[in-house]
Amino acid sequence: MTTVSTLTRRAVAVWLMGAPLAFAQGRTVRKAPLLVGTRYPTPGSYTGTALALVYREAFTRLGQEIQLVVLPGRRAEEMLTTGELDAELHRAKEYGDNRPTLRRVASPHFTDNFVAYATKPLVLQKGWDGLKNVPLNVDYVLGSAKTEKELKLRVPAAQLHAVRSIESGLQKLLAGNSDVFVQVESAVDSLLLKPEFKATPIRKVSVLEMADGYAYFSAKNQALAAPLAKVLDAMRKDGTTESLLKQAALEESV
């Protein structure tokens, strides 16, 4: 796992190599990039590539460079809360309900689905309640706050397990060590096109919820939330967001 000290060195390296210039009291100073966490890599996932394209454009319009850092969900949450990260991407609206020091950007970037995947011919009721009190072993990715919250309300603790990555969840399905894996649709679909998963029987068995994805800022950067929301709104209205999502799908062949 990437350490905080490594992240700091990377941020400094980017700053030294040529972050945007700003002017203060007649002096030229360098504007350090914001350190932005994401759970989704780019290249390698549609979600990660879409987020990178959308937010690099959005922050460019604000005159701010960003450095994206891929982190496990729980680690990203900890670093955002302590201020080691400046922002984090693609969290549910409810993510901030129990995290009062974080500031959600009011405008979402794009909509995603929470989906149940399986290899067995399961028939589940649509929605989260389709997993309520069913005799199934259910996996989700550690650090996925909304998924964990919804599943814990419906799935007995003995049947609910957290895995370290999306790949681990899919591999457990294939090995028969779990019955259902829950994850956001865009993150899984690009993986299912890879050789190790393409010819497998993994399939969607239920859409649990359609939800908007949001960016969150640490407390020290909360003043950026309102300007970024305006930029995201403008990007949707002028067609930029739709164009970038199509570009991400093409790059990741989703």
Side-chain angles (χ1 to χ4, degrees):
M1 183 187 301
T2 306
T3 63
V4 175
S5 59
T6 301
L7 295 178
T8 303
R9 287 196 297 273
R10 287 181 181 175
V12 171
V14 172
W15 182 75
L16 292 173
M17 287 188 293
L21 296 178
F23 298 89
Q25 297 180 346
R27 297 184 298 111
T28 300
V29 295
R30 293 198 179 278
K31 193 175 181 182
L34 295 177
L35 202 59
V36 179
T38 173
R39 292 165 289 162
Y40 308 100
T42 179
S45 75
Y46 166 78
T47 310
T49 298
L51 290 170
L53 290 171
V54 168
Y55 278 99
R56 281 181 179 140
E57 171 63 23
F59 278 103
T60 295
R61 294 189 183 191
L62 290 174
Q64 174 66 60
E65 186 180 351
I66 63 172
Q67 182 187 6
L68 293 172
V69 183
V70 179
L71 294 163
R74 187 61 56 82
R75 183 64 180 136
E77 177 187 342
E78 292 170 355
M79 291 178 65
L80 188 64
T81 302
T82 61
E84 295 168 88
L85 281 180
D86 295 303
E88 189 191 358
L89 306 181
H90 210 45
R91 289 292 194 173
K93 186 176 183 179
E94 299 90 343
Y95 180 64
D97 289 352
N98 299 314
R99 298 167 179 82
T101 63
L102 306 184
R103 175 61 62 88
R104 177 173 59 84
V105 177
S107 298
H109 40 259
F110 52 79
T111 300
D112 215 333
N113 292 323
F114 289 90
V115 173
Y117 293 85
T119 58
K120 301 174 183 178
L122 302 177
V123 177
L124 297 176
Q125 173 189 333
K126 187 176 180 180
W128 294 103
D129 282 346
L131 292 171
K132 189 173 183 178
N133 297 324
V134 293
L136 299 171
N137 289 310
V138 180
D139 283 354
Y140 67 97
V141 177
L142 183 67
S144 299
K146 179 175 176 61
T147 303
E148 179 179 66
K149 174 186 174 182
E150 298 291 349
L151 292 177
K152 282 187 173 181
L153 292 173
R154 297 165 173 86
V155 180
Q159 297 168 215
L160 185 61
H161 309 280
V163 296
R164 293 287 179 180
S165 67
I166 299 173
E167 291 87 345
S168 296
L170 298 178
Q171 288 163 356
K172 283 189 68 177
L173 282 179
L174 292 174
N177 294 326
S178 67
D179 300 306
V180 173
F181 175 57
V182 176
Q183 180 55 255
V184 292
E185 183 177 32
S186 65
V188 175
D189 282 3
S190 52
L191 283 179
L192 293 181
L193 295 174
K194 295 184 178 296
E196 60 266 40
F197 298 116
K198 189 172 185 179
T200 63
I202 297 174
R203 63 188 184 88
K204 300 170 191 176
V205 294
S206 179
V207 175
L208 305 175
E209 183 181 345
M210 179 182 292
D212 290 329
Y214 292 87
Y216 276 82
F217 280 111
S218 63
K220 66 180 182 180
N221 293 292
Q222 59 181 306
L224 291 171
L228 182 58
K230 291 181 180 179
V231 168
L232 291 172
D233 283 338
M235 287 172 59
R236 279 196 303 276
K237 291 177 181 177
D238 67 22
T240 300
T241 299
E242 182 180 359
S243 177
L244 292 175
L245 294 182
K246 289 179 180 177
Q247 182 181 335
L250 183 62
E251 291 183 15
E252 296 295 337
S253 299
V254 176

